[in-house]
Amino acid sequence: MIKIFVIGTGNLGGHLCRRFEAGGDLAFAKAGNQKTPVEIQLTGYYNKSGASVPGVSAPRAETLEELPPTDLILIAVPDDKIRDLSEQIPMTDAVVAHTSGNTSLDALSKHKNRGVFYLPQSFSKSRVPDFSKIPICLEWNTATTGDILESLASTMGSQIHHLPSEKRQHLHLAAVFMNNFVNHCYHKSQQILENGAIDPAILDALMEETFAKARSLSPATSQTGPALRNDIKTMNSHLELLPATDRELYRVLSNSIQNEFKK
Amino acid sequence: MIKIFVIGTGNLGGHLCRRFEAGGDLAFAKAGNQKTPVEIQLTGYYNKSGASVPGVSAPRAETLEELPPTDLILIAVPDDKIRDLSEQIPMTDAVVAHTSGNTSLDALSKHKNRGVFYLPQSFSKSRVPDFSKIPICLEWNTATTGDILESLASTMGSQIHHLPSEKRQHLHLAAVFMNNFVNHCYHKSQQILENGAIDPAILDALMEETFAKARSLSPATSQTGPALRNDIKTMNSHLELLPATDRELYRVLSNSIQNEFKK
């Protein structure tokens, strides 16, 4: 049985609370060569807002001073609040872990058993994540911590990766390109269609093919377009069509494509 | 029966030749309120390289001076070659159409019946496109031209859109963001993982969710990440991890996200 307490109930924390409450019956973990069931239990959660988490029956704690008995305290708050919050937790033998891609294990240095439980995914309140498809990247400082984090991750059905802080930071940076920047290009594309009074659905097939082709051929092999073929006339006509505020974006992306394929 | 001759057999032209040869039996088009079968036939093709097109039995023409009898001459060459090539075609009553997103109908002004047959998709030799899923954007100057282009598009099972040159240019620009720029962000992400000696498959789930979430919630609603929440510390640590040549790209994309959501 792993008893878990969650601090922070934003986009990620809220989904984790619901997943942990739902999770007992799915729980299996490796012990030696055997799979043995591992039960998990959400003992409670804490947030600054005082709001209760929809769909969760475990109680909200009023303070971090007196936590219920727990094996793991999982901190899912913005990066710049992690150290502060971890220091508000009274000294404990429980594992204290954060969920940040870009924060070192040292941010939890007050505590004996510390770890990282990072899910490289983009979470939103309105989309229920399928945790079994999301890899979990772990880091820890003691064997006890490693056992608890690995057992918990395996109960979620996820691929498990062991990544030290430095590699995790690279992964987090790569995730920004894969998610935030890709999504922003989607957004700009849609905005151009709207400004031109063109049905946005007209590019649905291209959006899908862009994903499928990069997945099947690799992005480097998939590249096409005016920047790649150094079609300056087309690029200039595109710059004229764009609002002035978007021209630098177009120029820098096109230059970056050209630099890549000159190599 | 629509007889088609194709000029240019690159990524798009080659796939079109094969599609037209395969297409007779699938062909249906609206005539009045009735669907009547429309047969299509590839009468031949021309390219500068002299190479024959794999999988195509129609003959390669040695010259544009003497073309086989044809209803439609479809030009699928780079944008800056379209006018020149169209002027090498002897005066004809056949429809002369190009396939470019960013070239005006006027580039074909030598010919009486001129049109545009633009498919907003990214084509590669090694991926067989499913034309029934790709919208076709048409423009024409005479009723005869419109009839032939609409019939041909409908035999391919595609959504048909009527777009004048100016709207088509906007669409083409939006397609660059949707495909070339999205794909480049995929590429950069993968490169960061490779440089960090991290298994690239670790972000497959994020790649998929980025697509699915933008499709289901809209890209504007889907955005998350350090730029959106103005997390300057994380952005600075990312800039330090990046090679100097990629920092401007990161900065300009992050600024663009911030400008968007300040509005």
Side-chain angles (χ1 to χ4, degrees):
Chain A
M1 164 77 80
I2 305 174
K3 289 175 191 283
I4 311 163
F5 184 88
V6 171
I7 298 177
T9 58
N11 287 346
L12 171 59
H15 287 305
L16 281 174
C17 284
R18 281 183 292 272
R19 178 64 188 80
F20 294 150
E21 283 215 333
D25 52 351
L26 299 172
F28 280 86
K30 274 186 224 157
N33 289 325
Q34 260 193 315
K35 282 194 167 184
T36 41
V38 174
E39 277 183 60
I40 59 180
Q41 186 195 346
L42 183 71
T43 58
Y45 60 87
Y46 174 83
N47 58 30
K48 247 176 48 183
S49 70
S52 60
V53 180
V56 170
S57 59
R60 178 182 174 277
E62 288 296 323
T63 159
L64 292 174
E65 292 302 314
E66 286 182 47
L67 298 181
T70 190
D71 303 298
L72 169 64
I73 299 167
L74 201 55
I75 302 178
V77 301
D79 291 7
D80 57 349
K81 304 280 187 285
I82 292 173
R83 182 177 284 277
D84 272 9
L85 263 162
S86 84
E87 288 176 358
Q88 288 175 40
I89 303 168
M91 288 282 244
T92 175
D93 283 346
V95 170
V96 178
H98 71 65
T99 53
S100 162
N102 202 45
T103 304
S104 139
L105 189 59
D106 299 341
L108 308 174
S109 56
K110 174 177 175 181
H111 301 285
K112 193 178 91 186
N113 294 308
R114 47 190 182 270
V116 178
F117 191 87
Y118 168 57
L119 298 97
Q121 187 56 286
S122 162
F123 296 95
S124 295
K125 284 212 164 50
S126 63
R127 259 180 94 78
V128 178
D130 178 353
F131 282 105
S132 72
K133 293 194 177 150
I134 305 172
I136 300 185
C137 303
L138 301 179
E139 185 180 2
W140 60 75
N141 73 325
T142 62
T144 314
T145 309
D147 284 349
I148 288 183
L149 294 181
E150 280 196 317
S151 293
L152 175 61
S154 72
T155 67
M156 297 170 73
S158 314
Q159 261 182 29
I160 300 173
H161 299 265
H162 299 168
L163 285 192
S165 292
E166 198 208 315
K167 279 200 175 191
R168 185 163 28 83
Q169 279 188 317
H170 275 95
L171 175 61
H172 186 252
L173 170 59
V176 164
F177 276 86
M178 187 61 92
N179 177 265
N180 306 159
F181 292 168
V182 162
N183 187 67
H184 190 58
C185 294
Y186 288 157
H187 173 64
K188 282 287 156 193
S189 177
Q190 218 171 67
Q191 208 171 45
I192 293 162
L193 293 177
E194 280 160 16
N195 292 345
I198 300 163
D199 176 6
I202 206 168
L203 287 187
D204 281 359
L206 182 60
M207 185 179 178
E208 199 161 334
E209 172 68 5
T210 302
F211 167 77
K213 189 168 158 182
R215 187 58 77 81
S216 103
L217 301 182
S218 94
T221 320
S222 298
Q223 195 55 279
T224 58
L228 183 71
R229 59 175 192 268
N230 197 28
D231 178 347
I232 289 161
K233 208 179 138 198
T234 299
M235 289 191 279
N236 284 339
S237 76
H238 282 169
L239 286 168
E240 273 174 42
L241 286 179
L242 278 169
T245 47
D246 287 340
R247 286 183 195 148
E248 195 188 10
L249 181 63
Y250 184 97
R251 227 179 259 121
V252 169
L253 277 159
S254 296
N255 285 345
S256 180
I257 292 174
Q258 297 197 293
N259 289 335
E260 204 60 37
F261 293 95
K262 255 186 233 158
K263 280 176 193 167
Chain B
M1 164 73 85
I2 305 175
K3 290 176 191 283
I4 311 163
F5 185 88
V6 171
I7 298 177
T9 59
N11 288 347
L12 172 58
H15 287 305
L16 282 175
C17 283
R18 281 182 291 273
R19 177 64 188 83
F20 294 149
E21 282 214 334
D25 52 351
L26 299 171
F28 280 85
K30 274 184 223 158
N33 290 324
Q34 260 192 313
K35 283 194 165 184
T36 41
V38 173
E39 278 183 58
I40 59 181
Q41 186 196 347
L42 183 70
T43 58
Y45 60 87
Y46 174 82
N47 58 31
K48 247 177 49 183
S49 69
S52 60
V53 180
V56 170
S57 59
R60 177 181 174 277
E62 288 295 324
T63 160
L64 292 175
E65 293 302 315
E66 285 182 48
L67 298 182
T70 191
D71 303 297
L72 168 64
I73 300 167
L74 201 56
I75 302 177
V77 300
D79 291 7
D80 58 348
K81 304 280 188 287
I82 293 173
R83 183 177 284 277
D84 272 10
L85 263 163
S86 83
E87 288 175 359
Q88 288 175 40
I89 303 167
M91 288 283 244
T92 175
D93 284 346
V95 170
V96 178
H98 71 66
T99 54
S100 161
N102 202 45
T103 304
S104 140
L105 189 59
D106 298 342
L108 309 174
S109 57
K110 174 178 175 181
H111 302 285
K112 195 176 91 187
N113 294 307
R114 47 189 183 269
V116 177
F117 191 88
Y118 169 57
L119 298 96
Q121 187 57 286
S122 162
F123 296 95
S124 294
K125 283 214 166 47
S126 63
R127 258 180 95 77
V128 178
D130 178 353
F131 282 105
S132 71
K133 292 193 177 149
I134 305 171
I136 300 185
C137 303
L138 301 179
E139 185 180 1
W140 59 75
N141 73 325
T142 63
T144 314
T145 309
D147 284 349
I148 288 182
L149 294 180
E150 280 196 317
S151 293
L152 174 61
S154 71
T155 67
M156 297 171 73
S158 314
Q159 262 182 30
I160 300 173
H161 298 265
H162 299 168
L163 285 192
S165 293
E166 199 208 314
K167 280 200 173 189
R168 182 161 32 81
Q169 279 188 317
H170 275 95
L171 175 61
H172 186 251
L173 171 59
V176 164
F177 276 86
M178 186 61 90
N179 177 264
N180 306 157
F181 293 168
V182 162
N183 187 68
H184 191 57
C185 295
Y186 289 157
H187 173 63
K188 282 286 154 193
S189 177
Q190 216 170 70
Q191 208 171 46
I192 293 161
L193 294 176
E194 280 161 16
N195 292 345
I198 300 163
D199 176 7
I202 206 169
L203 286 187
D204 280 359
L206 182 61
M207 185 179 179
E208 199 161 333
E209 173 67 4
T210 302
F211 167 77
K213 189 168 159 183
R215 187 57 79 80
S216 103
L217 302 182
S218 93
T221 321
S222 299
Q223 194 55 279
T224 58
L228 183 71
R229 59 176 191 268
N230 197 27
D231 177 348
I232 289 161
K233 208 179 139 200
T234 299
M235 289 191 278
N236 284 339
S237 75
H238 283 168
L239 287 168
E240 273 174 41
L241 287 179
L242 278 170
T245 47
D246 287 339
R247 285 183 197 149
E248 194 189 11
L249 181 63
Y250 184 96
R251 225 179 261 122
V252 168
L253 276 159
S254 296
N255 285 345
S256 181
I257 291 174
Q258 297 197 294
N259 289 335
E260 204 58 39
F261 293 95
K262 256 186 232 159
K263 280 176 193 169

